[in-house]
Amino acid sequence: MVSVSRSFYDVFKVKPEETVGQLIYDLGNKQWNIPKLRELLETILPQKTTFDNYEVEHDFTTIGRRIMLLNARQIERGMGKERIILLAIEDITERKAIEKGLEKAHEELQELAAELKRTARAKSEFLANMSHELRTPLNSINGFSEILYDETVGPLNEKQKKYVDYVLTSGKHLLLLINQILDMSKVEAGKMKLTLSSLHMKSLLNEISLLVADMVGKKKLQMSLEIAEDLPNIDGDELKVKEILYNLLSNAVKFTPEGGKIGMRAKKNDSTGIDIVVWDTGIGIASENMGKIFEGFFRVDTPYSRITEGTGLGLSLSKKLVELHGGNLSVESKGLNRGTEVRFTLPIISRKAA
Amino acid sequence: MRNKILVVDDNKSNLVLEKDLLEVAGFEVFEAENAADGIAIARKEKPDIIIMDVRLPDMRGSEAARILRQDKETSYIPIVFVTASVMAGEKEEINAIANSGFIGKPINTRTFAKEISQFIRGKE
């Protein structure tokens, strides 16, 4: 050893007085008598005069197991034949540990991702099975109560008729829930397929408004429609677009007290789509609840919410269906009891067109 | 002569529901709660149409349909699957069977018999 840098002493815990002038192998009570180092210095280096990035692992008595990265150059000093070796030793024990940790974390992440995929598949299989299992008894519940209600097998008295109507209404509600849950899971699993056709939006909007006219009349609400004359046709899935509009309009009806107003506006927007707004003067949404309204089954806790019927999935499903068409949906409210506006866009040419 | 119809469904109350609706509509109804019984009745009675659930206790409805199709005596009988299944795979399974139809559960009791009649008429 001709000369040694200070950090060598620090890292490998050897003293200067027992280093310079010694054979490297004898350092620290022969701790450096490492076969691989010997091979490098005595066999490889004389032939190649250089070696790069050799990893050597060794168990030192004083500092434990270390991994070192060795680089060496054999150089001639002056004109003479004296050859010295420039040996750089880098302690990469910690770096290796980090790399190993990263590798392990990566493997764990991959396992986790695979697990998530399995879970998602299990979830959608579970939902499909559950939906089948629930429909089978519902077929009897709805079917028999419909037959009773229609008095196919004999007349009912007033109370019997009313009760069986409740059974039927509840059964239909349950069926709607099952269908919407299944649709949500299909959208989430990326399995919801759109059947696109050219939709005449002006007549479609009018048609949907007629569907809710009955509910609107019963609650003595005023409904206004502002549909632009030049509203273009769009590419969309007719049933899904109708479902979106029906969900939003029936929400407007449900959450608007008697005597209030609801409405729908539709026009072509500046880019390549149409804007539709469904608005009401109803109970609105408190700002602190804004973030929660797209979570399934969220209900504002007011005395009013108890009497409103619905599955609690309509809005979030509508948002997903709008997004599936390549549009977006947002909700605005100035606050509690100050009405709600749901705006959404639908592209004229759907991005999902195959 | 009244049209003969065979209903195969392992859910007893669903079976009664379909049977009663069809009887009110004037069909002569035979019933079975599994595929093997259904196939035996089909061979004996040669119904004008068969209504079948997709998931049966002894085999899948599509398998029962294939057996019926292979038998000359029953190969011509239209089969309508009435099922609560909504999975795409099961619909494909049904589509692969010639001269068959599909009605989803829950059924519409007000139109059920008419829908079934259309499958018979479609055949003739």
Side-chain angles (χ1 to χ4, degrees):
Chain A
M1 306 283 283
V2 181
S3 109
V4 180
S5 73
R6 180 181 298 277
S7 55
F8 182 82
Y9 301 124
D10 293 342
V11 174
F12 295 104
K13 307 266 187 283
V14 283
K15 290 184 192 128
E17 56 269 28
E18 50 181 37
T19 303
V20 176
Q22 300 286 318
L23 257 175
I24 186 169
Y25 312 125
D26 293 338
L27 288 185
N29 212 4
K30 299 207 192 303
Q31 280 187 67
W32 282 81
N33 194 3
I34 306 167
K36 201 159 179 204
L37 182 63
R38 271 205 124 100
E39 187 196 345
L40 284 173
L41 293 178
E42 293 167 13
T43 315
I44 298 174
L45 200 59
Q47 285 169 15
K48 300 178 66 182
T49 72
T50 169
F51 62 75
D52 295 312
N53 297 330
Y54 259 86
E55 266 185 47
V56 174
E57 197 174 334
H58 185 64
D59 215 348
F60 291 92
T61 42
T62 46
I63 54 171
R65 181 166 290 273
R66 312 303 289 179
I67 302 167
M68 296 171 291
L69 194 66
L70 305 186
N71 282 280
R73 298 285 178 278
Q74 183 173 284
I75 45 181
E76 282 177 22
R77 192 148 74 165
M79 299 295 284
K81 281 251 172 170
E82 191 189 4
R83 289 176 306 144
I84 61 163
I85 295 166
L86 197 62
L87 178 64
I89 304 171
E90 192 186 346
D91 180 356
I92 57 165
T93 313
E94 267 139 49
R95 200 174 85 199
K96 281 299 226 186
I98 291 169
E99 277 172 14
K100 222 175 191 168
L102 271 177
E103 232 167 74
K104 204 172 160 229
H106 183 68
E107 270 167 30
E108 280 169 359
L109 261 180
Q110 277 182 325
E111 269 169 39
L112 209 63
E115 176 68 29
L116 272 176
K117 251 187 196 165
R118 275 196 297 277
T119 311
R121 199 168 45 230
K123 179 187 155 194
S124 70
E125 272 167 23
F126 172 80
L127 282 167
N129 278 324
M130 181 196 79
S131 150
H132 177 273
E133 298 305 327
L134 292 178
R135 270 162 213 262
T136 301
L138 257 185
N139 189 45
S140 290
I141 295 171
N142 289 5
F144 284 116
S145 44
E146 214 164 61
I147 292 177
L148 287 175
Y149 184 83
D150 288 349
E151 304 187 339
T152 310
V153 286
L156 300 179
N157 68 34
E158 208 176 304
K159 268 206 164 158
Q160 286 167 336
K161 185 129 178 160
K162 196 170 88 184
Y163 293 172
V164 86
D165 188 28
Y166 285 157
V167 175
L168 190 54
T169 307
S170 303
K172 283 184 174 163
H173 184 91
L174 197 51
L175 180 64
L176 181 65
L177 252 177
I178 293 165
N179 289 342
Q180 288 190 338
I181 290 171
L182 197 73
D183 279 356
M184 286 285 271
S185 76
K186 271 192 199 160
V187 175
E188 278 167 9
K191 283 184 182 161
M192 178 69 89
K193 300 271 186 296
L194 297 180
T195 312
L196 297 178
S197 62
S198 178
L199 306 180
H200 190 264
M201 286 308 286
K202 271 197 276 187
S203 47
L204 194 144
L205 292 170
N206 277 308
E207 195 184 319
I208 295 294
S209 70
L210 289 177
L211 272 182
V212 294
D214 214 34
M215 290 197 282
V216 168
K218 270 186 195 154
K219 282 187 86 171
K220 300 184 178 67
L221 303 175
Q222 268 180 45
M223 177 160 65
S224 77
L225 294 182
E226 297 159 75
I227 300 169
E229 267 310 306
D230 63 345
L231 190 71
N233 290 0
I234 66 157
D235 279 348
D237 184 313
E238 184 176 353
L239 289 178
K240 304 285 188 301
V241 171
K242 282 182 175 170
E243 191 180 336
I244 295 162
L245 289 162
Y246 183 81
N247 283 342
L248 299 181
L249 277 174
S250 56
N251 273 350
V253 174
K254 275 178 224 156
F255 296 107
T256 305
E258 276 199 16
K261 290 178 189 157
I262 72 162
M264 185 156 64
R265 293 195 295 271
K267 62 176 175 55
K268 188 179 180 308
N269 65 24
D270 298 335
S271 56
T272 54
I274 59 170
D275 285 341
I276 300 176
V277 179
V278 176
W279 59 269
D280 64 64
T281 60
I283 60 165
I285 299 155
S287 55
E288 68 266 26
N289 288 328
M290 253 329 176
K292 300 179 201 159
I293 54 171
F294 291 111
E295 290 168 12
F297 304 115
F298 175 72
R299 290 293 188 77
V300 182
D301 189 22
T302 65
Y304 191 75
S305 64
R306 256 177 270 139
I307 53 162
T308 54
E309 281 241 344
T311 61
L313 282 172
L315 185 62
S316 33
L317 183 58
S318 297
K319 184 177 164 71
K320 288 196 154 74
L321 292 176
V322 166
E323 285 165 359
L324 208 58
H325 277 87
N328 52 67
L329 181 149
S330 62
V331 177
E332 281 166 42
S333 173
K334 293 200 170 78
L336 215 53
N337 297 316
R338 298 180 68 184
T340 305
E341 262 193 24
V342 182
R343 320 175 147 262
F344 68 98
T345 60
L346 288 172
I348 292 171
I349 306 290
S350 173
R351 266 192 270 141
K352 304 278 161 169
Chain B
M1 203 181 88
R2 290 198 299 165
N3 273 323
K4 279 185 181 179
I5 193 159
L6 166 65
V7 183
V8 190
D9 197 323
D10 64 319
N11 183 294
K12 185 73 187 162
S13 61
N14 279 205
L15 189 61
V16 171
L17 177 66
E18 287 160 27
K19 179 176 176 268
D20 286 3
L21 283 170
L22 293 165
E23 275 176 356
V24 167
F27 288 98
E28 184 184 355
V29 182
F30 300 89
E31 47 189 300
E33 289 185 40
N34 58 58
D37 289 355
I39 292 167
I41 295 171
R43 281 175 179 152
K44 183 161 167 268
E45 299 293 339
K46 307 203 176 42
D48 297 285
I49 190 166
I50 298 169
I51 295 176
M52 190 146 55
D53 196 0
V54 172
R55 297 182 187 187
L56 291 167
D58 48 346
M59 67 181 86
R60 301 198 52 85
S62 53
E63 212 181 317
R66 257 190 299 278
I67 294 171
L68 289 166
R69 286 286 172 270
Q70 278 160 10
D71 187 336
K72 263 188 202 151
E73 300 271 288
T74 56
S75 62
Y76 64 91
I77 305 173
I79 301 173
V80 180
F81 290 95
V82 179
T83 174
S85 292
V86 281
M87 274 169 282
E90 299 199 343
K91 280 189 187 143
E92 277 165 31
E93 191 181 323
I94 293 166
N95 286 338
I97 297 158
N99 197 12
S100 75
F102 170 86
I103 295 177
K105 276 182 189 171
I107 57 168
N108 183 335
T109 61
R110 288 158 192 165
T111 57
F112 183 68
K114 238 178 271 163
E115 288 172 66
I116 296 297
S117 305
Q118 267 160 13
F119 282 105
I120 302 179
R121 222 163 290 138
K123 171 71 191 146
E124 280 163 359

